[in-house]
Amino acid sequence: MSGTYLGMPAFPAAARAAVRNPTLRGNLRHATHTIRAKRARAVAEVEDWAELREAGKRIKDHTLRHLDTYLERLEESVTAAGGVVHWAADAEEANRIVTSLVRATGETEVVKVKSMATQEIGLNEALEAAGVRAYETDLAELIVQLGDDRPSHILVPAIHRNRGEIRDLFRAEMAAWGRPAPEDLTDGPAELAEAARLHLREKFLRAKVGISGANFMVAETGTLVVVESEGNGRMCLTLPETLISVVGIEKVVPAWRDLEVFLQTLPRSSTAERMNPYTSMWTGTTDGDGPSTFHLVLLDNGRTDTLADEVGRQALRCIRCSACLNVCPVYERAGGHAYGSVYPGPIGAILSPQLRGTGSEIDASLPYASSLCGACYEVCPVAIDIPEVLVHLRERVVQGGPVTRAGNKVVLRPAKGHAAERAAMRAARWAFGRPGALRTGQRLASRTRRFHPRTLPGPGRAWSETRELPPVPPEPFRDWWQRTHGGEAGGK
Amino acid sequence: MRVALFLTCVNDTLYPDTGRAVVKLLTRLGVEVDFPMAQTCCGQAHYNTGYRHEAEPLARHFAGVFGGYEAIVTPSGSCGAMVRELYPRMGERARAEGRGKSLAATLAPVVPKTYELTEFLVDVLGVTDVGAYYPHTVTYHPTCHGLRGLGLGDRPRRLLEAVRGLELVELPGAQECCGFGGTFALKNPDVSAAMGADKVRNAESTGAGVLCAADNSCLMHIGGTMARLRSGMRPVHIAEILASTEEEPLA
């Protein structure tokens, strides 16, 4: 997989190509509008949705506030159930741990359940470098892998592909990865699914090592939970001899009872289903049933740094439902790749610049990849105020300030490239602090209105390329007011 | 009743007709309107672009100008949401950063007294029929900050439905952002323009001649797109429709 996001251009440049691709826009529009409407219906069925949303938010906030306690409890429970817990501070450490665990089994192939955490750390590439081939078994991840592509959606990683493209990929690439696709494969959904099923079945039956993520980890019992729709997850979680789960530390919940909330809100928010088709839960190991060896790799990779930020930490409540992507008008036009991360859309715009820092061009541009319309906040099942965090991160980009990186407090300098904007904001603030100066400016604009250009230079050019500018009126309101109401109390 | 009109800097400079319409409408309804000449800008563009420290003095200035009034009325969902939603947040942040209680205490009085125009008409004055006449087919676009920030709900629609001669038609995808978003339109021009074009196409599909909203910033973006796409539609602020009467129709 060519899954590197390094050197990504800033969001506006990356989005431009997507906006100008009518097929991609059509695919995205159709897919997001369909799921959006279904989600709204599924949510409307639940009478106590507002309470469930509040409960989910509270459980997550409580857990995050006492994260150290619950992670230690989780480690004890997992160990007591026969599992082995590893702690990984960053992507490199996590990859090193998993690679050495796989090597220790002597195997050169692993099967994978779709996992955001392993995508985030680039595990497949690390395994490949160590001579281990990782097979993605989620249908959409398989499509992405065969296409040497990157995921563009949290839940539907191949949302940017249509059926014709998928058939061509299967025909051209499947043979190199195992069982080839049938010669006469059409783009019918049932035929495509059957080709994938036969291809994957061979992997499930042969694999001795499975790699997963988890949607939730229960501290109380040491239980891990994966929810999915295809059954591939259940195969990967039960058939291999060794199971390695790589999970972000924020996925822990205190008690079994807490699942009651999330197993209602997650499926309805993500796939608009009342209940997801497969919910797999496992607790350590059991003799004669399932994997005999279980490793849990707990991944930090910027999460405790994010936790240190009072406003930004709410991003860690995310349960990866992707409702915010499906409702976002910006995601719908720009597509997932423009966000330069395994986490696209509104949640990606606040998560990536926190996990990775705002040092790169793409990460510094992500907080601006939103019109702040608020639709993402409205649909979020754990009430993450995404617009609030976006504005907070914009402030970090333009003003700098204290942040935590790799556990250390550092003071960021303002990002480059905002000097003209900063000067304009200061000038505007100066004028707005002085009604007289504002009035002089307004009058000047009104008197010179016949000479105003139809197109603007500088940053305004982007506006006038696609939109007409409003004409400046002959008289600003305040002059009219003074002329007509000047003698009254307000005309001071 | 005497209220202060917070017109907003955009309306003051570019859309004085909207200001005149608000004055006409409120006066007709028996409200005494004052326009404090010292008003400037609520600071939203600064705040939302990341310049909170530039926005704070503007918020202070706003509170100084409007603090003494019984009610503050603004024909902008967006600037209304800035005062009601974000001023308290600015105050809290200043306090959390150990900059004393003063900003929070200064801003607190103006927050509950600030009303978006349609909110003021329906909730405070208790009217939905304002005696307007506007014989046109109109579609209504609920702007994001009015819809989700202030929770204006169906107030604007109820006001429009009571206007004589007006036929209100449903806008497909009404709740989707038009793509303006303040500096978003400058920072992400391609995505913003695509959102605007889709909004205009949806509006055109209704067959209405007028697209109405309660925010001139969004209307500037939508109207600018309409003009560029040579659409026959016109953007009109809701205050101008509500101010229009048979004796003095909106031109």
Side-chain angles (χ1 to χ4, degrees):
Chain A
M1 223 181 79
S2 63
T4 175
Y5 295 109
L6 291 175
M8 272 289 293
F11 182 83
R16 191 167 301 134
V19 167
R20 291 174 186 174
N21 179 342
T23 313
L24 178 65
R25 267 182 75 181
N27 290 349
L28 283 168
R29 183 178 167 79
H30 177 72
T32 56
H33 280 248
T34 305
I35 188 83
R36 196 184 293 182
K38 282 169 72 182
R39 186 214 73 98
R41 281 197 295 275
V43 164
E45 282 181 357
V46 184
E47 276 179 20
D48 60 346
W49 186 261
E51 287 83 0
L52 280 171
R53 185 175 188 242
E54 183 62 21
K57 174 189 172 192
R58 280 172 189 242
I59 293 166
K60 282 281 181 178
D61 277 352
H62 168 84
T63 315
L64 290 169
R65 200 170 303 124
H66 306 282
L67 194 60
D68 49 350
T69 308
Y70 288 115
L71 285 173
E72 282 175 13
R73 196 166 297 166
L74 176 76
E75 181 177 32
E76 284 166 25
S77 310
V78 169
T79 310
V84 184
V85 175
H86 310 259
W87 299 81
D90 55 22
E92 198 192 343
E93 190 175 8
N95 286 331
R96 200 165 57 234
I97 293 167
V98 177
T99 306
S100 66
L101 289 172
V102 176
R103 272 197 177 139
T105 65
E107 295 294 317
T108 54
E109 288 181 354
V110 299
V111 284
K112 287 185 68 201
V113 198
K114 175 180 178 298
S115 147
M116 302 301 294
T118 60
Q119 286 274 12
E120 177 189 323
I121 60 175
L123 178 64
N124 290 7
E125 293 81 350
L127 287 173
E128 198 176 305
V132 176
R133 198 163 215 197
Y135 295 109
E136 294 291 348
T137 66
D138 172 89
L139 178 55
E141 285 290 347
L142 173 69
I143 294 163
V144 168
Q145 186 171 43
L146 291 176
D148 193 23
D149 198 355
R150 290 194 310 256
S152 66
H153 189 280
I154 287 176
L155 196 80
V156 199
I159 196 169
H160 57 290
R161 296 284 198 180
N162 64 35
R163 285 191 275 131
E165 289 175 293
I166 293 166
R167 179 206 51 212
D168 295 345
L169 265 179
F170 279 13
R171 277 199 193 151
E173 303 296 335
M174 257 186 182
W177 290 81
R179 186 190 172 106
E183 283 291 317
D184 55 351
L185 182 67
T186 73
D187 67 356
E191 277 195 40
L192 294 173
E194 182 63 8
R197 201 179 72 88
L198 293 171
H199 178 83
L200 290 170
R201 180 99 356 168
E202 290 185 358
K203 310 275 185 256
F204 294 134
L205 294 174
R206 202 169 64 207
K208 299 279 190 286
V209 181
I211 295 182
S212 86
N215 293 91
F216 306 100
M217 306 183 285
V218 181
E220 181 185 45
T221 58
T223 306
L224 271 72
V225 184
V226 160
V227 298
E228 40 119 9
S229 303
E230 296 170 18
N232 65 303
R234 181 154 296 179
M235 302 281 251
C236 294
L237 295 164
T238 52
L239 290 172
E241 291 166 6
T242 301
L243 173 61
I244 304 167
S245 302
V246 183
V247 189
I249 51 174
E250 83 284 14
K251 294 289 181 87
V252 68
V253 294
W256 183 261
R257 176 82 198 262
D258 299 323
L259 295 175
E260 171 201 7
V261 173
F262 300 113
L263 293 181
Q264 292 184 74
T265 51
L266 177 55
R268 284 182 197 262
S269 300
S270 56
T271 49
E273 288 167 305
R274 292 175 178 139
M275 192 179 172
N276 54 287
Y278 295 88
T279 304
S280 300
M281 301 178 168
W282 66 103
T283 310
T285 55
T286 306
D287 284 340
D289 185 13
S292 52
T293 309
F294 169 56
H295 294 276
L296 170 60
V297 181
L298 290 170
L299 178 71
D300 186 323
N301 207 33
R303 284 161 176 76
T304 52
D305 290 343
T306 305
L307 191 60
D309 187 293
E310 280 180 31
V311 178
R313 68 169 60 135
Q314 57 185 307
L316 296 177
R317 281 190 220 135
C318 177
I319 56 173
R320 312 282 188 260
C321 72
S322 69
C324 63
L325 278 63
N326 298 327
V327 81
C328 179
V330 176
Y331 175 88
E332 183 188 322
R333 273 87 185 180
H337 289 156
Y339 293 81
S341 159
V342 60
Y343 305 110
I347 186 65
I350 62 169
L351 203 50
S352 305
Q354 294 201 86
L355 294 179
R356 304 192 296 210
T358 47
S360 72
E361 200 186 350
I362 178 75
D363 287 317
S365 72
L366 286 177
Y368 297 94
S370 165
S371 65
L372 304 180
C373 83
C376 49
Y377 178 31
E378 191 174 55
V379 297
C380 178
V382 285
I384 302 170
D385 191 340
I386 294 174
E388 180 187 25
V389 183
L390 286 167
V391 170
H392 174 67
L393 294 173
R394 290 176 184 189
E395 196 179 314
R396 176 176 300 172
V397 170
V398 298
Q399 299 199 154
V403 292
T404 309
R405 297 310 304 164
N408 300 312
K409 286 222 180 297
V410 292
V411 177
L412 284 184
R413 293 231 297 257
K416 288 188 182 124
H418 292 266
E421 176 187 277
R422 193 175 299 117
M425 288 291 175
R426 283 198 183 141
R429 193 257 288 162
W430 184 88
F432 286 140
R434 290 159 186 77
L438 173 64
R439 190 172 194 177
T440 307
Q442 285 174 334
R443 282 181 179 163
L444 188 67
S446 285
R447 282 179 197 150
T448 57
R449 59 197 289 267
R450 284 184 298 126
F451 308 111
H452 291 183
R454 303 276 292 169
T455 54
L456 290 172
R461 199 184 58 192
W463 176 279
S464 51
E465 267 176 8
T466 48
R467 287 148 287 205
E468 298 289 332
L469 291 160
V472 174
E475 181 183 49
F477 178 85
R478 62 180 64 228
D479 283 359
W480 172 81
W481 177 268
Q482 192 157 46
R483 200 156 51 72
T484 54
H485 298 69
E488 294 172 28
K492 57 193 172 198
Chain B
M1 185 174 194
R2 186 154 176 268
V3 303
L5 168 61
F6 166 46
L7 188 56
T8 81
C9 54
V10 168
N11 287 326
D12 182 10
T13 309
L14 293 173
Y15 299 97
D17 288 347
T18 296
R20 285 196 279 271
V22 177
V23 175
K24 181 178 158 188
L25 170 65
L26 291 179
T27 308
R28 191 171 80 219
L29 295 171
V31 177
E32 199 185 326
V33 182
D34 189 13
F35 179 83
M37 290 291 276
Q39 66 178 282
T40 55
C41 165
C42 64
Q44 188 195 191
H46 296 79
Y47 185 90
N48 280 345
T49 314
Y51 297 89
R52 181 163 56 99
H53 294 297
E54 307 293 337
E56 283 180 6
L58 296 176
R60 252 183 222 285
H61 180 79
F62 180 95
V65 172
F66 289 101
Y69 288 91
E70 192 182 346
I72 304 147
V73 179
T74 183
S76 164
S78 182
C79 303
M82 174 67 187
V83 176
R84 284 245 300 278
E85 257 202 311
L86 301 180
Y87 278 14
R89 196 171 281 172
M90 281 169 83
E92 279 165 37
R93 286 293 303 281
R95 200 180 336 211
E97 286 167 11
R99 290 188 285 126
K101 288 190 293 186
S102 72
L103 185 66
T106 306
L107 301 184
V110 294
V111 173
K113 293 192 292 191
T114 301
Y115 300 92
E116 184 277 332
L117 175 68
T118 66
E119 224 177 18
F120 180 76
L121 296 171
V122 175
D123 296 358
V124 182
L125 298 185
V127 290
T128 47
D129 184 349
V130 296
Y133 172 76
Y134 191 71
H136 296 279
T137 306
V138 175
T139 193
Y140 174 71
H141 167 60
T143 59
C144 300
H145 290 175
L147 180 74
R148 287 178 279 265
L150 291 175
L152 294 182
D154 64 353
R155 292 176 184 87
R157 295 182 48 98
R158 280 158 59 198
L159 288 161
L160 289 171
E161 278 163 4
V163 174
R164 268 170 290 287
L166 187 150
E167 191 198 341
L168 188 63
V169 290
E170 206 58 46
L171 175 65
Q175 306 206 342
E176 285 168 36
C177 177
C178 71
F180 174 60
T183 49
F184 173 77
L186 297 173
K187 287 176 179 286
N188 282 284
D190 297 278
V191 178
S192 167
M195 289 162 70
D198 287 349
K199 181 59 75 180
V200 171
R201 271 191 282 273
N202 279 336
E204 284 174 340
S205 77
T206 65
V210 170
L211 178 132
C212 160
D215 232 311
N216 272 329
S217 306
C218 310
L219 287 173
M220 176 173 70
H221 167 73
I222 297 171
T225 308
M226 283 173 169
R228 182 58 59 93
L229 297 176
R230 306 219 179 283
S231 160
M233 289 187 82
R234 279 196 305 143
V236 179
H237 192 286
I238 191 168
E240 298 179 39
I241 291 176
L242 298 178
S244 173
T245 58
E246 253 168 300
E247 297 74 40
E248 281 185 87
L250 177 62

